[in-house]
Amino acid sequence: MIIIEKGTIVELDIHGMYADNAELEIEQFLDTVGPKVQEVVVIHGYHKGQVLMDMVRTRLVHPRIASKIISLNKGQTRLILKF
């Protein structure tokens, strides 16, 4: 997983990961991320990333996630975080 921090927004690139591993790493990241981060953009892809996209959009649950926004870019999902 590649992490790119841009102020209050963090990008997580999970291309090429297995869904279970990616889910665990995202959950661990959300467990430790500070309150400064308000949004996480998960880059999962959509051609070969369909399994990852489905995991992020339907299966991923964490107490820090306030909502999920399906981006116009099909290869990413935005997670809006609770403070």
Side-chain angles (χ1 to χ4, degrees):
M1 179 168 70
I2 298 172
I3 301 171
I4 300 171
E5 192 170 336
K6 298 178 180 180
T8 61
I9 300 172
V10 173
E11 290 183 0
L12 301 180
D13 189 337
I14 60 172
H15 276 104
M17 296 181 72
Y18 289 104
D20 290 339
N21 292 345
E23 182 177 18
L24 181 61
E25 287 199 33
I26 294 169
E27 289 171 346
Q28 289 174 343
F29 175 79
L30 293 173
D31 285 342
T32 61
V33 69
K36 176 182 136 183
V37 176
Q38 298 173 7
E39 181 179 336
V40 176
V41 178
V42 181
I43 302 167
H44 43 66
Y46 69 96
H47 286 298
K48 293 183 179 179
Q50 185 71 42
V51 172
L52 292 172
M53 182 175 70
D54 291 344
M55 179 275 294
V56 172
R57 292 184 178 177
T58 61
R59 197 171 83 197
L60 179 66
V61 177
H62 191 277
R64 195 72 205 278
I65 299 173
S67 63
K68 297 178 186 179
I69 298 174
I70 297 173
S71 176
L72 292 176
N73 178 344
K74 293 181 184 180
Q76 67 183 29
T77 302
R78 297 169 50 208
L79 307 176
I80 307 302
L81 303 184
K82 297 175 186 174
F83 295 100

